[in-house]
Amino acid sequence: MGKRNLYDLEKVLYFADQKKGLHVSVTEADDTDLSILVEEAVEDGLIRRVADDDSGWYYQTTLAGEIRLVELQIAWRQHRGRNVDS
C-alpha cells in the first residue's frame, strides 16, 4: 500500500501551476494520494500532462485548474480569518 495523506488537491494544483510543473515519478505507486489526485485532476480537466521522460510525467494546470487553485487558496485564507482582498 502506498503512502497516504501527503498531498491534497490544492498542493497538486500549486505544484502543477509552477513553471516546471508537477513531476510524478515512474516509481509512484498507483494507490498513493498523489497518483489518485493527479488522475482525478486530469479527468476533471484541472491539469494536463505536458511532457514525460524516463523519470516520470510532468503536469501543468489548465485555465480551469488555475481558477480552482485560486478558489482553494481563498477558502484556506477565509477559514483562517486572513485577508482575501489581495
Side-chain angles (χ1 to χ4, degrees):
M1 180 182 229
K3 296 178 264 182
R4 296 282 180 187
N5 301 319
L6 297 176
Y7 290 87
D8 59 17
L9 180 58
E10 183 178 357
K11 191 179 282 188
V12 167
L13 293 174
Y14 174 82
F15 285 118
D17 199 45
Q18 302 303 302
K19 185 176 181 177
K20 290 186 177 186
L22 171 68
H23 177 263
V24 179
S25 173
V26 295
T27 62
E28 186 73 27
D30 290 339
D31 65 344
T32 63
D33 54 342
L34 177 59
S35 293
I36 293 165
L37 287 165
V38 166
E39 183 178 325
E40 290 173 354
V42 169
E43 289 174 5
D44 293 343
L46 301 176
I47 62 175
R48 60 187 171 86
R49 191 162 85 184
V50 294
D52 57 80
D53 59 24
D54 57 346
S55 70
W57 302 274
Y58 297 85
Y59 297 87
Q60 291 272 235
T61 51
T62 62
L63 179 58
E66 291 174 22
I67 292 168
R68 185 67 182 127
L69 175 58
V70 170
E71 292 170 344
L72 291 168
Q73 290 171 331
I74 289 170
W76 185 91
R77 292 182 69 80
Q78 286 175 327
H79 180 72
R80 286 159 183 78
R82 304 244 173 108
N83 182 5
V84 295
D85 294 332
S86 54

